[in-house]
Amino acid sequence: MAETQALMERLESAVVKLESLLSNAHKVAGMECGTINGVDGGVAPYVEAFDRILNGSVADFLRNSKILEGDVKIHAEMVRAAFQAQRAFLLLTSQYQEPQESEVAILLKPISDKILEIQTFRERNRGSKMFNHLSAVSESVPALGWVAVAPKPGPYVKEMNDAATFYTNRVLKDYKHSDLRHVDWVKSFLNIWTDLQGYIKEYHTTGLTWSSTGPIASAASLLSTLTSGQSPPPPPPPPPPPPPPGPPPVFDTENAKDDSTTTRSALFAQLNQGEAITKGLRHVSDDQKTHKNPSLRAQGTSVRSPTRNHTSTAPKTPPQQSHCPVLELEGKKWRVEYQEGKNDLLITDTELKQVAYIFKCNKSTLQMKGKINSITIDNCKKFGLVFDNVVGIVEVINSKDIQIQVLGKVPTISINKTEGCHIYLSEESLDCEIVSAKSSEMNILIPQDGDYKEFPVPEQFKTSWDGSKLVTDPAEIVG
């Protein structure tokens, strides 16, 4: 364990040195309009092609982010650091042979750490005016994990890009008629993933390939590559015998949120196991099998492994991260967060200019009196909402088992990435528009004769060509 920790520290130090070398060699122009390639010739063509992405779409994204300033600018600098970490890894693969899976996981850790840093920044700034910008970046940056995906890394990047469009569309909706700088920002950001898909299609269609020559890569070799320039160092002396095989190290996600987007950081280690996932299993000889050795069945006791330490220890489970429940007015935003088993939540003092943001509430019910601008339910489970009037929109995102009752009026209800949502409309709100995407088990309940009649929202659609355009209609399943 101590040896692994030491390797981690050396690798992190190597990444810091890489950033320093790039910064000193190219200054500000290195990422804005100059060249990123830190060596003149001699690098693999696919490393040079990756540099062109850094000099092109990534540099454009950085420029547009600096124009917007604030949290967007800080987030963009984190994206720059993540791409630099990936560039260092690509340079390493072009000069070294592929090591064991556990060593690959260690070499990928700098990229994983940068992704986690980007996602954590978004979680810590949920009150930011640029939250949709931060969310777009946070949802798509796991695309940098393509280096650990085979045999089709290109579609993986596209999937991450699609995850960002939900938030980039929000940015366009908010600013396309008022501030075109945000429109330019969206275009430059999405161009990064478009260029990366083209790059992968040209150089790594079936996955990243390591060099067939040179020494075998290790955590120490990354630092050697950075300090010695282009050429790999001579092979090191043979290493000492390895310890008994065990499970490969995984990335540290102890402080990561349990949002489905942040857990992608740990994907690298799992993807790199491959067939080596069975290496940690112990071979059982015939004399230790009860169905081939009747004497073992008669003993009624299990055979103890000669190589395993049988010291009785209680299993260690990671501590659950707890949060204090929040119900407060912060400026013009009502924050309702981390409520657990509370069915008497009530907000009465509302104003038209206020909004409500409900986050990670479980088995709870909230009632909102009066008229409010908008309500967002994010990452909640078994949550009930009762409100009088909303003049804007009610949004349900990344949630499960949600019930909403409208007592007055609401023009639009949006449901995205949600499993199970029941909406009880009032007589006044029958003209409400329901917009849904990537969701299931949605039902709208309409008041009729003093009771409610349930109508399911279609989840399956049929698309056909009518000679001039595509026509899509809900599919009716006859059974």
Side-chain angles (χ1 to χ4, degrees), residues 183-468:
V183 177
D184 294 337
W185 181 90
V186 169
K187 291 179 180 178
S188 63
F189 179 66
L190 295 180
N191 283 341
I192 293 177
W193 308 123
T194 301
D195 292 349
L196 185 59
Q197 290 177 63
Y199 165 79
I200 292 172
K201 184 177 181 180
E202 182 174 357
Y203 294 97
H204 309 286
T205 306
T206 58
L208 182 62
T209 303
W210 290 70
S211 173
S212 58
T213 60
I216 297 176
S218 65
S221 63
L222 178 60
L223 179 61
S224 300
T225 302
L226 298 176
T227 55
S228 62
Q230 315 160 24
S231 304
V250 297
F251 294 99
D252 179 15
T253 57
E254 181 182 354
N255 296 323
K257 304 286 183 180
D258 61 357
D259 192 321
S260 62
T261 61
T262 59
T263 57
R264 296 191 187 106
S265 323
L267 182 62
F268 299 162
Q270 298 298 325
L271 292 170
N272 278 286
Q273 290 185 34
E275 296 180 357
I277 195 170
T278 59
K279 284 187 176 180
L281 300 179
R282 181 179 63 86
H283 175 71
V284 179
S285 58
D286 288 345
D287 62 339
Q288 293 177 311
K289 300 176 181 177
T290 56
H291 67 283
K292 291 189 177 182
N293 192 343
S295 61
L296 292 179
R297 293 197 296 269
Q299 295 174 8
T301 58
S302 59
V303 179
R304 296 164 67 88
S305 169
T307 61
R308 184 176 176 182
N309 184 2
H310 296 281
T311 304
S312 177
T313 57
K316 296 181 179 180
T317 57
Q320 293 288 339
Q321 188 173 8
S322 60
H323 299 271
C324 294
V326 177
L327 200 163
E328 64 180 11
L329 179 61
E330 186 181 82
K332 298 179 182 179
K333 177 192 289 187
W334 282 101
R335 292 177 55 209
V336 184
E337 301 177 0
Y338 305 110
Q339 300 290 339
E340 187 78 25
K342 297 288 186 180
N343 293 311
D344 56 352
L345 301 173
L346 178 64
I347 296 177
T348 58
D349 188 17
T350 59
E351 298 179 8
L352 184 59
K353 61 184 178 181
Q354 294 174 347
V355 299
Y357 182 73
I358 305 165
F359 179 67
K360 281 196 176 179
C361 295
N362 185 34
K363 298 179 181 179
S364 301
T365 303
L366 169 67
Q367 183 173 4
M368 301 194 70
K369 300 285 188 179
K371 186 177 291 186
I372 195 170
N373 187 280
S374 65
I375 301 174
T376 301
I377 301 174
D378 186 2
N379 234 310
C380 296
K381 294 181 181 179
K382 297 182 179 180
F383 182 80
L385 172 67
V386 182
F387 64 89
D388 289 346
N389 295 282
V390 170
V391 298
I393 186 173
V394 174
E395 296 180 280
V396 184
I397 310 169
N398 294 323
S399 297
K400 187 175 183 179
D401 295 335
I402 304 299
Q403 294 194 32
I404 298 175
Q405 183 173 4
V406 186
L407 301 179
K409 294 201 66 174
V410 58
T412 306
I413 297 178
S414 172
I415 309 170
N416 288 280
K417 299 181 182 179
T418 295
E419 297 179 17
C421 185
H422 290 68
I423 301 175
Y424 295 78
L425 296 179
S426 65
E427 293 284 356
E428 300 176 67
S429 59
L430 294 180
D431 59 348
C432 171
E433 294 182 350
I434 312 294
V435 181
S436 62
K438 298 183 179 180
S439 299
S440 61
E441 302 175 33
M442 299 170 288
N443 293 281
I444 311 301
L445 291 97
I446 305 298
Q448 291 184 358
D449 302 326
D451 201 356
Y452 284 95
K453 186 174 181 180
E454 186 176 89
F455 295 88
V457 176
E459 300 175 24
Q460 190 173 20
F461 300 90
K462 177 180 66 178
T463 301
S464 58
W465 177 255
D466 70 350
S468 60

Side-chain angles (χ1 to χ4, degrees), residues 17-27 36 38 84 87:
K17 286 198 173 186
L18 170 64
E19 295 177 354
S20 176
L21 287 171
L22 291 174
S23 176
N24 292 336
H26 307 288
K27 303 297 180 183
I36 284 298
Q84 285 187 338
R87 200 266 183 187

Side-chain angles (χ1 to χ4, degrees), residues 26-142:
H26 307 288
K27 303 297 180 183
V28 177
M31 284 304 297
E32 293 186 346
C33 56
T35 174
I36 284 298
N37 194 343
V39 283
D40 298 328
V43 298
Y46 69 78
V47 178
E48 292 183 343
F50 191 79
D51 288 341
R52 288 193 288 273
I53 296 178
L54 295 177
N55 294 328
S57 52
V58 175
D60 291 341
F61 168 68
L62 285 170
R63 278 195 292 269
N64 289 319
S65 298
K66 289 178 180 178
I67 292 173
L68 297 183
E69 298 183 335
D71 293 336
V72 172
K73 177 182 177 182
I74 297 172
H75 220 204
E77 289 298 328
M78 295 180 182
V79 173
R80 175 192 62 83
F83 270 87
Q84 285 187 338
Q86 180 145 105
R87 200 266 183 187
F89 182 78
L90 292 174
L91 181 61
L92 186 73
T93 61
S94 70
Q95 298 180 348
Y96 288 81
Q97 297 185 51
E98 184 175 8
Q100 296 181 353
E101 286 80 1
S102 58
E103 193 73 19
V104 172
I106 295 175
L107 295 174
L108 283 169
K109 191 173 186 299
I111 300 176
S112 176
D113 287 345
K114 296 299 181 184
I115 293 174
L116 183 58
E117 180 185 14
I118 291 169
Q119 294 175 330
T120 302
F121 183 83
R122 174 241 194 166
E123 294 297 329
R124 291 176 178 172
N125 291 276
R126 286 187 167 272
S128 172
K129 295 180 180 179
M130 303 289 190
F131 181 70
N132 287 328
H133 299 68
L134 304 184
S135 296
V137 175
S138 181
E139 289 288 330
S140 58
V141 75

